[in-house]
Amino acid sequence: MKSKRIGQRTVKLQNKPKIISSASVVGPKEGEGPLRDYFDLVLSDDLFGEKSWELAESKMVQTAMETAVKKAGKKLSDVNYLIGGDLINQILPASFAARELAIPFLGIYGACSTMAEGMCLNAMMIDGGFADYILSGTSSHYCTAERQFRFPLELGNQKPMTAQWTVTGAGSILMAAEGNGPYVKYVTIGKVIDKGIDDGNNMGAAMAPAAIDTIYSYFDDTKDDPNSFDMIVTGDLGKLGKQITQDLLKERGLDISKVYTDCGLKIFNLEEQDVHCGGSGCGCSATVFSAYIYDKLMKKEFNKVMLVSTGALLSPTSTLQKQTIPCVAHAVVIVNE
Amino acid sequence: MKSKRIGQRTVKLQNKPKIISSASVVGPKEGEGPLRDYFDLVLSDDLFGEKSWELAESKMVQTAMETAVKKAGKKLSDVNYLIGGDLINQILPASFAARELAIPFLGIYGACSTMAEGMCLNAMMIDGGFADYILSGTSSHYCTAERQFRFPLELGNQKPMTAQWTVTGAGSILMAAEGNGPYVKYVTIGKVIDKGIDDGNNMGAAMAPAAIDTIYSYFDDTKDDPNSFDMIVTGDLGKLGKQITQDLLKERGLDISKVYTDCGLKIFNLEEQDVHCGGSGCGCSATVFSAYIYDKLMKKEFNKVMLVSTGALLSPTSTLQKQTIPCVAHAVVIVNE
């Protein structure tokens, strides 16, 4: 068999696994941001009619997934696999959504790298001929994340300016062996990198080294030109993490500054929406990709994009045990013909 | 491309992804059980020299993974991907192990189905030509699981007789495109099934319907003969869950009773070791497969085995919110030439 590996870390897909549809659901605050017109559904209430935020998050990701399938003109029963996960303990939202969707389920955990992790697996499984249709997606919710990782919302804690705002949102894509849409050309799976940061309110700095490692590996493997991209976009490094990534890559001789942005800067208006360093959470890159970037790809306004979702693999348990924050980032390169 | 799908749910691999080595590490209690002679390392202290049980669990899975690579005569840098996860919030043990191993990492969450989920992904990624070597594995620890999902150990709570004992153990396998060893022939990914059980001390009954659904689907898809297997083995249904699975499959016209057992019954001596319904946890099927079953396959005492690891996708959060327990089971069929 012809090798699909390029260089040390990158896989070149051979059969053009296509993203045939996408969908997104966001909360009220995200619906007031600059991407408001791109989302399929903006909730007026972040409980979405449920009794808890966790159940609301589950309903959001379920709705995004159902919507992606419907927009492709398919039925849930056409879908061979569902790949999902999120930030919440034991991926409660994804598991509960999978129960309702009744599609064979592969649970993943990559913290906020989940969107890209799911797309990498999705693309490889479609490319390898193991499925005709695979749905992947993820979610986050400001209220579920805050109370699990930081403090009860009722305390009204103030945050330092390095902190980010967890996106309330869910995004999903449907990939297929055949159909219309941009396709995944390369994937680069990330290593777990930990530079010793232990501050859960400075995730951009914690995750930047993982993003740097993955982006650098992709370009080292493929000898691709950063300026051939319409956009290279990290998941949720925010303002500070983006600057670190750009600067340190430049120091290593790789200048991505002309095409580089971060989903956490796209989803909110940082000046007006009081989100400090920007958006974060699994739902950040999931909704920005599923809504804005996918739309641009479909309209051929973008023809080559690299999505690098970034995840901080900390947990409430590791934080209590005074551990530093291991991070990971996965890259997916999506192109038009 | 020739379709690799058989029936509704099953994939037939085309390129014989081989399990070229395995390794296991267990705690003291597991080392006193009937499989004591099969494990690579039996700890005398379940803290393994660490300051917390979570860090001990991470060191256990890291050790199992390193040992599997070493036993195959390979280096960590030969391995293209690491696939891992466990029961602990945000898969702390696997993430921290991945940081030390420095292999590109795909985190998964399937609760106690993790061993089989990892093997399914591993086999498809090797079969599809995306990697030469992939390491997968998982762990559980009695003390980390009890304090996260149930009560602090210091309370000394009594358990009902339907409860099981979480295995302190880690198991890992190394799969390869080329090499010696039994190979993965079929995989069947499970749906999330929830029959309304909400008792975390009766996981066998909660998970049995997921195992039944997956096992039945495999035989429905392939028309295979249960008695052609040397062993069909579920992950951790224990005594009660095994009985339910066997009985309900028989009612559906599928009699697996001659070859069927459960890893939770193999790892402990139920009469003498005070473990109620038997072993459970990600580490249960991981160690029983990596130690006992792999040994039998290598010696050609077994030539066809189905491993069906079973997972309960509950979380401390869902339990507090009075939710029922969604469950999942994935099947891997491993054969010799």
Side-chain angles (χ1 to χ4, degrees):
Chain A
M1 188 173 1
K2 193 182 160 204
S3 174
K4 294 170 182 171
R5 298 189 66 80
I6 293 191
Q8 290 295 306
R9 305 261 297 270
T10 299
V11 160
K12 182 175 182 181
L13 301 164
Q14 308 289 315
N15 300 306
K16 301 189 178 177
K18 286 154 202 75
I19 306 175
I20 60 166
S21 74
S22 74
S24 57
V25 176
V26 298
K29 187 181 180 86
E30 292 71 20
E32 290 166 4
L35 304 185
R36 67 180 74 83
D37 296 332
Y38 291 94
F39 304 118
D40 291 288
L41 178 61
V42 176
L43 303 179
S44 56
D45 164 19
D46 67 8
L47 269 171
F48 205 0
E50 295 293 318
K51 282 189 179 170
S52 75
W53 292 312
E54 288 76 14
L55 295 179
E57 186 181 333
S58 184
K59 189 173 169 183
M60 287 172 66
V61 72
Q62 183 187 333
T63 304
M65 287 171 164
E66 286 169 338
T67 306
V69 173
K70 199 176 290 175
K71 282 168 78 175
K74 298 289 162 191
K75 297 189 299 289
L76 290 175
S77 57
D78 293 326
V79 181
N80 301 121
Y81 299 120
L82 174 62
I83 301 174
D86 44 69
L87 290 169
I88 300 308
N89 292 341
Q90 289 69 49
I91 59 167
L92 185 164
S95 301
F96 279 62
R99 179 179 68 185
E100 302 307 316
L101 296 169
I103 300 167
F105 176 59
L106 291 157
I108 59 176
Y109 187 80
C112 307
S113 74
T114 300
M115 189 64 186
E117 181 181 348
M119 287 171 76
C120 290
L121 285 170
N122 193 334
M124 286 192 276
M125 288 172 70
I126 292 280
D127 194 71
F130 303 110
D132 299 316
Y133 297 99
I134 302 180
L135 198 51
S136 57
T138 183
S139 59
S140 55
H141 193 300
Y142 180 76
C143 305
T144 64
E146 283 298 306
R147 74 166 164 187
Q148 180 178 283
F149 287 105
R150 296 185 185 90
F151 296 100
L153 288 177
E154 293 79 354
L155 285 180
N157 274 44
Q158 282 206 321
K159 292 179 183 179
M161 289 309 287
T162 52
Q164 294 168 242
W165 188 280
T166 303
V167 165
T168 298
S172 175
I173 55 139
L174 182 62
M175 236 184 263
E178 303 294 337
N180 291 320
Y183 66 90
V184 177
K185 189 165 179 183
Y186 296 101
V187 301
T188 305
I189 302 294
K191 290 185 184 180
V192 177
I193 310 271
D194 183 341
K195 295 289 187 193
I197 288 177
D198 61 2
D199 177 2
N201 278 316
N202 192 1
M203 300 289 236
M207 296 190 291
I212 291 165
D213 182 68
T214 298
I215 296 170
Y216 188 85
S217 291
Y218 169 80
F219 285 102
D220 193 45
D221 287 344
T222 60
K223 317 297 175 204
D224 209 349
D225 173 12
N227 294 317
S228 70
F229 285 85
D230 294 298
M231 183 183 264
I232 295 175
V233 58
T234 43
D236 59 343
L237 296 181
K239 200 165 132 183
L240 181 62
K242 174 182 180 269
Q243 197 61 51
I244 295 170
T245 300
Q246 191 170 305
D247 291 351
L248 293 185
L249 278 173
K250 210 168 206 166
E251 275 187 21
R252 292 176 72 171
L254 184 67
D255 183 0
I256 62 169
S257 59
K258 280 191 194 133
V259 295
Y260 175 44
T261 188
D262 182 78
C263 295
L265 303 177
K266 299 296 289 180
I267 195 163
F268 292 123
N269 183 323
L270 266 60
E271 277 65 45
E272 292 172 14
Q273 290 191 284
D274 193 24
V275 292
H276 296 14
C277 263
S280 67
C282 298
C284 184
S285 64
T287 58
V288 172
F289 182 83
S290 303
Y292 172 71
I293 297 172
Y294 186 74
D295 185 74
K296 295 278 182 198
L297 283 163
M298 285 303 282
K299 288 179 177 153
K300 311 270 168 108
E301 293 172 30
F302 289 170
N303 290 306
K304 188 174 179 186
V305 170
M306 181 191 291
L307 175 71
V308 190
S309 301
T310 37
L313 303 168
L314 86 173
S315 82
T317 308
S318 69
T319 303
L320 286 169
Q321 294 182 12
K322 302 188 193 308
Q323 298 297 310
T324 55
I325 306 176
C327 296
V328 72
H330 307 294
V332 195
V333 173
I334 305 117
V335 301
N336 281 314
E337 303 281 333
Chain B
M1 189 175 358
K2 195 181 159 206
S3 175
K4 294 171 181 170
R5 299 189 65 79
I6 292 191
Q8 290 296 305
R9 304 260 298 270
T10 299
V11 160
K12 183 176 181 180
L13 302 164
Q14 309 286 315
N15 300 308
K16 301 189 179 177
K18 286 154 204 73
I19 306 175
I20 60 166
S21 75
S22 74
S24 57
V25 176
V26 297
K29 188 181 178 87
E30 292 69 21
E32 290 166 4
L35 304 185
R36 67 182 75 83
D37 297 332
Y38 291 94
F39 304 118
D40 291 288
L41 177 61
V42 176
L43 304 179
S44 56
D45 164 18
D46 67 8
L47 270 172
F48 204 0
E50 296 293 319
K51 280 189 179 171
S52 75
W53 292 313
E54 288 77 14
L55 295 179
E57 186 180 334
S58 184
K59 189 173 168 184
M60 287 172 67
V61 73
Q62 183 187 332
T63 304
M65 288 171 163
E66 286 168 338
T67 307
V69 173
K70 200 176 292 176
K71 283 168 79 175
K74 298 289 163 193
K75 298 189 297 287
L76 289 174
S77 57
D78 294 326
V79 182
N80 303 120
Y81 298 120
L82 174 62
I83 301 174
D86 44 70
L87 290 169
I88 299 309
N89 292 342
Q90 288 70 49
I91 59 167
L92 185 163
S95 301
F96 279 62
R99 179 180 66 185
E100 303 307 316
L101 296 169
I103 301 168
F105 176 60
L106 292 157
I108 59 175
Y109 187 81
C112 307
S113 74
T114 300
M115 188 65 187
E117 181 181 348
M119 288 171 75
C120 290
L121 285 169
N122 193 334
M124 287 191 275
M125 288 172 70
I126 292 281
D127 194 71
F130 303 110
D132 299 316
Y133 297 98
I134 303 180
L135 199 51
S136 57
T138 183
S139 59
S140 55
H141 193 301
Y142 180 77
C143 304
T144 64
E146 282 298 305
R147 73 167 165 187
Q148 179 177 285
F149 288 106
R150 297 185 184 90
F151 297 100
L153 288 177
E154 292 80 355
L155 284 179
N157 274 43
Q158 280 207 321
K159 293 179 183 179
M161 289 308 287
T162 52
Q164 293 168 242
W165 188 280
T166 303
V167 165
T168 299
S172 176
I173 56 142
L174 182 63
M175 238 185 262
E178 303 294 337
N180 292 319
Y183 67 91
V184 177
K185 189 165 180 184
Y186 296 102
V187 302
T188 305
I189 302 294
K191 289 185 183 180
V192 177
I193 310 270
D194 183 341
K195 295 291 188 191
I197 288 177
D198 62 2
D199 178 2
N201 278 314
N202 191 2
M203 300 286 236
M207 295 190 291
I212 291 165
D213 182 68
T214 299
I215 296 170
Y216 188 86
S217 291
Y218 169 80
F219 285 103
D220 194 44
D221 286 343
T222 59
K223 317 299 175 203
D224 209 349
D225 173 11
N227 293 317
S228 70
F229 284 85
D230 295 299
M231 183 183 264
I232 296 174
V233 58
T234 43
D236 59 343
L237 297 180
K239 200 165 136 185
L240 182 62
K242 174 182 180 270
Q243 197 61 51
I244 295 170
T245 301
Q246 190 169 307
D247 289 353
L248 293 185
L249 279 173
K250 209 168 205 167
E251 274 187 20
R252 293 176 73 172
L254 184 67
D255 184 359
I256 61 170
S257 60
K258 280 191 194 135
V259 295
Y260 175 43
T261 189
D262 182 79
C263 295
L265 303 178
K266 297 297 289 181
I267 194 163
F268 292 124
N269 183 324
L270 267 60
E271 276 67 44
E272 292 172 14
Q273 291 192 284
D274 193 25
V275 291
H276 295 17
C277 263
S280 68
C282 298
C284 184
S285 65
T287 56
V288 172
F289 181 82
S290 303
Y292 172 73
I293 297 172
Y294 186 73
D295 184 75
K296 295 278 182 196
L297 282 162
M298 286 303 282
K299 288 179 178 155
K300 312 271 167 106
E301 291 172 30
F302 289 171
N303 290 305
K304 188 174 180 186
V305 170
M306 181 191 290
L307 175 71
V308 190
S309 302
T310 38
L313 302 167
L314 85 172
S315 82
T317 309
S318 70
T319 303
L320 287 169
Q321 294 184 11
K322 301 188 194 305
Q323 297 296 311
T324 55
I325 306 176
C327 296
V328 72
H330 306 294
V332 195
V333 174
I334 305 116
V335 300
N336 280 314
E337 303 281 333

